[in-house]
Amino acid sequence: MMQRERQPKFAMISILLTLGAFILFVLATIVDPLSNYSNVLMIAGLALLAASWGIYFIGGRSLQRAEISTENVITVIGCRGCDIREERPFSEGDYVFKEVGPCKKCSGISYIRAIYSIPIKKD
Amino acid sequence: MNIVVVNMVIPVGQGLFPTGNDLSSIILNILWVVFFFSMILLFNQRLQIWTYQRNVEKATIKLQMLADKSREEALKSVQKYAQENTDVRSQVTAFLDFFTIEPVDRDPFGVLNRLEHLLDNRRDRFKAFVAQIAPKAGKAEAANTEDILEAAMALNFIFKVVRHYLILGKKTKSLMIFVQLDMQLPLIMKMAEAYFNAQKTFSAGKPIGDGLGPLVASKLMYGLPKRIIAEDIVCSEVDISNRKAYVLKAEGPGGLLGKPGEAVKRLVEEMSGKVARIFMVDASSKLEGENTGEVVEGVGAAIGDPGPEKYKIEEVATKYKIPLDAIVCKMDLEEALTTMKKEIVEASDIIIEKIKKAIVERTKEGDVVIIAGIGNTIGIGQ
């Protein structure tokens, strides 16, 4: 399943970069010894702001790709005559209460007792 | 020359907000003020529109991708059962825009009869279309193909509605349209992904979460004689603690819902209303924070149809004063439409125990009860 929410770590980095840019602008304005480098500080601050925006937007997109999940579908086989229970991967044509031949244990009628999925998350 | 211009605009040695009285400082300060107010007053809404529009555009592209993929999946499923040299693509693509107009409800008298008539028409058209384009499909495969087409239609509709509002927002440059759309996108995307994943499940014929009711009924009726009691509904007589239980469900393993309301009505009428209780089992949408597979009891007709089937059950139960017991299993939309989870399978056994206990506690020996397993029976036989 894909989500639209951005990961908190990307949001935090984005906020920190914006704060860094703000601090640079303030330093360039109020600290006299640094005022000689105001152009450099301004460019550095703008670069931080650009990086902050970039991370905010691109970070959200990377999450959409990360959280794709798949499923593992199991077919459970039981028997009318005994308590045997077998599990195997689902194959097309399986359905619950389908009779699947004689039981290995008691030669009774074995059938599909259940079909269910177990989610597996992929990175 | 360039250095002089830069020094005039940004006076080196005086910071970004110079306090000097020279011309360049004054000009820079004025520029800052102009820049600030233009950002706040003139471009603020533009920037917001741009941000929201960008989100909606991304979602629309994704919805288009899902709609296209689901159409291809539908085509693939149909082609398996189609005659050679049949133009399946154009027929399926055209059918995805099929619509149903709801009956007028300004005069509510008989609205459910009219709705049922329209739903019957719709179902007949679906069946006829599938029979026409996939003549090699058996009953179960045809039912599954109908479900696959339903999912593709739902995705096609969602995509078209979102695209409509995106284009409308661009044309009118309305921030409100984009904001409303953007706020609803998480739920819209969740729904679209649920339908997309459901289609894969339908293609493989796997049981879905909504099949909980039929699964419970199947477990009770397995191995017993069955008869068709209404359209696509099978019924068996089961003895539970010396009470006669009529258990009914849609006929599996194809993706059918049947007409359980009609079946309950016929059964009750057959017995002239001498039914002690009606038990209904269905999947129920869970609230956030609730657990999947949680079993909850209540009263009323537990059925999520558009109205006619629920109405029939309520009407016949009211006519003969038959108590209606509802037992539901909690799950969200995606879980209801995709492969049944283990928790839901386990819940079916809990529900059977609850039904047996309720029958013993609330009815007498020799009484007759009806147990209706409501839901889509895809992947569940009987």
Side-chain angles (χ1 to χ4, degrees):
Chain A
M1 196 172 73
M2 286 166 267
Q3 306 279 325
R4 281 193 66 246
E5 291 84 18
R6 291 175 169 84
Q7 283 193 58
K9 69 174 179 184
F10 285 109
M12 282 305 295
I13 293 169
S14 177
I15 290 167
L16 287 174
L17 289 175
T18 309
L19 276 175
F22 179 73
I23 290 164
L24 283 182
F25 289 145
V26 170
L27 288 176
T29 308
I30 62 170
V31 180
D32 277 348
L34 290 175
S35 58
N36 290 336
Y37 307 102
S38 60
N39 289 349
V40 177
L41 290 172
M42 186 184 76
I43 291 164
L46 289 175
L48 285 180
L49 276 181
S52 163
W53 274 62
I55 285 171
Y56 183 72
F57 285 111
I58 295 165
R61 233 183 294 154
S62 68
L63 179 65
Q64 291 183 354
R65 290 195 198 99
E67 283 204 8
I68 295 170
S69 67
T70 181
E71 58 178 18
N72 180 21
V73 182
I74 305 287
T75 297
V76 182
I77 296 167
C79 172
R80 277 199 198 186
C82 65
D83 60 353
I84 191 170
R85 181 191 160 96
E86 270 182 69
E87 287 187 5
R88 63 164 169 79
F90 174 86
S91 63
E92 209 162 317
D94 282 358
Y95 62 86
V96 183
F97 295 109
K98 180 185 182 183
E99 292 179 355
V100 287
C103 172
K104 287 174 192 169
K105 193 175 162 189
C106 71
S107 302
I109 300 166
S110 58
Y111 66 99
I112 295 175
R113 274 175 66 176
I115 296 169
Y116 56 78
S117 77
I118 302 166
I120 304 168
K121 282 211 168 174
K122 271 188 183 174
D123 290 329
Chain B
M1 181 64 186
N2 285 342
I3 295 165
V4 174
V5 172
V6 169
N7 282 347
M8 264 195 69
V9 177
I10 304 168
V12 177
Q14 293 180 44
L16 284 171
F17 303 100
T19 52
N21 290 326
D22 54 303
L23 183 65
S24 59
S25 300
I26 293 166
I27 290 171
L28 185 61
N29 278 319
I30 290 169
L31 282 175
W32 273 122
V33 171
V34 170
F35 173 74
F36 179 75
F37 280 102
S38 64
M39 286 304 284
I40 295 294
L41 299 175
L42 301 177
F43 299 114
N44 176 32
Q45 206 179 51
R46 290 271 171 205
L47 282 171
Q48 284 188 56
I49 287 179
W50 179 75
T51 311
Y52 288 118
Q53 185 182 324
R54 192 174 166 277
N55 283 343
V56 177
E57 275 172 346
K58 271 162 63 181
T60 310
I61 289 167
K62 196 176 152 194
L63 284 172
Q64 185 170 22
M65 185 197 76
L66 292 179
D68 289 348
K69 275 189 179 176
S70 80
R71 190 182 59 227
E72 292 307 314
E73 184 73 33
L75 280 167
K76 216 164 71 182
S77 303
V78 167
Q79 263 158 353
K80 278 195 285 189
Y81 310 111
Q83 298 278 22
E84 282 171 25
N85 304 323
T86 312
D87 182 16
V88 173
R89 179 171 289 274
S90 64
Q91 290 186 68
V92 169
T93 306
F95 194 73
L96 292 184
D97 287 323
F98 187 84
F99 62 90
T100 307
I101 301 168
E102 283 188 21
V104 62
D105 55 4
R106 283 189 183 174
D107 176 11
F109 180 75
V111 70
L112 285 171
N113 289 334
R114 285 181 275 133
L115 179 60
E116 187 181 8
H117 174 64
L118 289 171
L119 292 173
D120 288 347
N121 281 358
R122 185 179 191 272
R123 194 163 44 240
D124 292 345
R125 284 288 300 274
F126 261 74
K127 280 185 177 170
F129 178 71
V130 171
Q132 180 201 330
I133 57 163
K136 294 178 192 167
K139 191 180 176 184
E141 290 87 11
N144 293 356
T145 307
E146 283 176 39
D147 288 348
I148 290 164
L149 285 170
E150 288 267 18
M153 283 170 77
L155 277 165
N156 187 47
F157 182 71
I158 293 170
F159 159 63
K160 284 191 171 183
V161 170
V162 172
R163 185 183 61 179
H164 164 74
Y165 282 108
L166 171 67
I167 295 171
L168 193 66
K170 278 182 176 176
K171 274 186 183 169
T172 57
K173 294 185 174 55
S174 164
L175 176 65
M176 279 305 114
I177 290 176
F178 285 122
V179 171
Q180 287 182 54
L181 200 51
D182 187 62
M183 296 295 164
Q184 291 178 60
L185 273 181
L187 294 176
I188 293 171
M189 296 310 287
K190 208 173 169 192
M191 198 191 293
E193 282 159 14
Y195 280 116
F196 184 71
N197 292 331
Q199 200 185 30
K200 288 183 200 162
T201 310
F202 294 145
S203 301
K206 295 171 192 165
I208 59 172
D210 188 46
L212 170 96
L215 180 65
V216 168
S218 285
K219 285 186 173 182
L220 289 168
M221 64 166 60
Y222 179 56
L224 295 169
K226 285 140 201 110
R227 65 178 167 127
I228 300 283
I229 183 101
E231 189 182 328
D232 300 327
I233 297 284
V234 289
C235 174
S236 283
E237 283 179 41
V238 184
D239 181 81
I240 299 175
S241 306
N242 297 323
R243 281 82 164 167
K244 192 195 277 184
Y246 287 92
V247 182
L248 54 94
K249 71 177 276 285
E251 190 181 12
L256 292 170
L257 292 152
K259 287 193 158 194
E262 185 64 33
V264 170
K265 189 178 168 186
R266 280 186 196 171
L267 271 173
V268 174
E269 297 289 1
E270 260 179 31
M271 288 173 281
S272 310
K274 287 175 185 140
V275 175
R277 291 193 100 84
I278 299 171
F279 291 90
M280 298 194 70
V281 183
D282 198 6
S284 163
S285 58
K286 70 168 186 172
L287 301 171
E288 290 299 329
E290 288 183 323
N291 295 323
T292 300
E294 202 176 314
V295 177
V296 188
E297 283 187 68
V299 292
I303 177 168
D305 85 312
E309 297 305 304
K310 190 173 188 175
Y311 177 75
K312 284 176 199 169
I313 296 167
E314 287 174 350
E315 194 187 41
V316 78
T318 308
K319 184 180 172 187
Y320 294 104
K321 305 274 181 258
I322 304 166
L324 269 170
D325 290 309
I327 304 179
V328 298
C329 173
K330 299 277 183 168
M331 62 189 81
D332 67 22
L333 178 71
E334 180 154 4
E335 287 163 342
L337 291 175
T338 52
T339 313
M340 193 177 272
K341 282 190 164 179
K342 194 177 181 187
E343 297 93 311
I344 299 169
V345 175
E346 287 165 354
S348 67
D349 294 325
I350 297 169
I351 290 172
I352 289 171
E353 288 312 309
K354 277 188 183 284
I355 291 173
K356 285 180 177 172
K357 192 168 171 251
I359 286 174
V360 172
E361 286 173 356
R362 295 176 213 159
T363 61
K364 301 187 299 289
E365 284 195 10
D367 276 352
V368 173
V369 296
I370 294 173
I371 302 167
I374 310 296
N376 190 320
T377 191
I378 187 166
I380 302 168
Q382 54 272 326

